Amino acid sequence: MQEIITFIMEIIGTIAFAASGAMVGVGRRMDIFGVCVLGVVTSVGGGMIRDIVLGIIPPGMFQKPVYTIVATLTSCVVFGVLYLKKELLEGHFREIYDRFMLIMDTIGLGIFTVVGVHTGIRHGYVDNTFLLVFLGTITGVGGGLLRDMMAGVPPYIFVKHIYACASIVGAFSCVYLYRSFGTVAAMVGASAVVILIRYLAAHFRWNLPRLKREE
């Protein structure tokens, strides 16, 4: 049961991160190959770094190519939609585009943070809190960091977005929830923590200009 839940969460996270990576590629006017590369890197890049740290060779993305395939298909769909509907990148639709990307990135961050922690636990490091938090954080933010570097944009984790901090808090939550309530409660609860932090940060950021105008 736990393996099924983990697999479902990984697929959802893969789709969410692939969509955000592909949207960055489209926004940078890349061709379909570049868009797919960014989508795949965003989805599996963090997991690849995590597996190398854990000594899992070859990394899981090569042992289970289903995630790479799902990421590629998702990227192609995003490219097709935005290519046919170019107006989605302009004017009023730009704000919708930005919000949708924020949602996809937030879902992916929450899911992959807890997947990273869970992977470390499965490999016998349940008592090493520092390592588990690192694994969760690098799994959550690693792909997005690689994506932004390849796209030539300031990485999310280095600018004003509360991104890496949300992942760190979520990873800590996952570790302690696991020790008290087990795997399922830890993964669901910690994912919700990350998503809630990102939502509150985004809500404040989106509404701050309006509040200043009202003053």
Side-chain angles (χ1 to χ4, degrees):
M1 186 63 178
Q2 293 178 0
E3 293 300 321
I4 295 175
I5 293 175
T6 301
F7 177 75
I8 292 174
M9 293 185 70
E10 286 179 329
I11 290 296
I12 295 173
T14 297
I15 293 173
F17 261 167
S20 73
M23 290 167 72
V24 170
V26 172
R28 300 295 288 179
R29 301 187 183 280
M30 296 183 178
D31 61 15
I32 189 170
F33 180 75
V35 168
C36 288
V37 168
L38 282 193
V40 171
V41 166
T42 308
S43 295
V44 302
M48 181 178 65
I49 298 172
R50 173 202 67 214
D51 290 348
I52 292 174
V53 170
L54 288 174
I56 303 173
I57 304 296
M61 63 173 291
F62 299 108
Q63 297 185 36
K64 296 180 180 179
V66 61
Y67 303 111
T68 303
I69 294 171
V70 169
T72 302
L73 293 176
T74 302
S75 301
C76 289
V77 171
V78 171
F79 178 84
V81 171
L82 294 182
Y83 181 79
L84 295 174
K85 298 287 186 179
K86 294 181 180 179
E87 63 270 17
L88 295 177
L89 298 175
E90 302 171 355
H92 170 70
F93 291 105
R94 182 70 193 191
E95 183 176 344
I96 298 176
Y97 165 90
D98 290 338
R99 287 178 182 270
F100 184 73
M101 181 174 169
L102 177 67
I103 292 171
M104 292 295 100
D105 234 19
T106 298
I107 294 173
L109 180 66
I111 290 176
F112 278 121
T113 295
V114 300
V115 167
V117 174
H118 181 61
T119 301
I121 291 172
R122 285 195 293 109
H123 282 80
Y125 298 101
V126 65
D127 295 322
N128 192 333
T129 301
F130 179 77
L131 176 60
L132 292 178
V133 171
F134 174 80
L135 293 174
T137 303
I138 199 63
T139 306
V141 308
L145 177 61
L146 294 174
R147 172 200 67 201
D148 294 340
M149 292 173 62
M150 294 175 68
V153 298
Y156 251 34
I157 64 173
F158 297 150
V159 292
K160 59 184 178 182
H161 303 279
I162 297 179
Y163 195 74
C165 291
S167 181
I168 292 171
V169 172
F172 269 111
S173 300
C174 187
V175 172
Y176 289 106
L177 284 173
Y178 173 83
R179 291 171 180 170
S180 300
F181 302 103
T183 301
V184 176
M187 296 186 73
V188 174
S191 293
V193 168
V194 175
I195 292 172
L196 178 62
I197 292 173
R198 290 283 292 145
Y199 169 78
L200 293 175
H203 179 75
F204 179 76
R205 182 166 62 89
W206 285 109
N207 287 280
L208 184 60
R210 179 175 61 82
L211 294 175
K212 288 183 176 179
R213 287 195 300 270
E214 291 176 354
E215 291 176 355

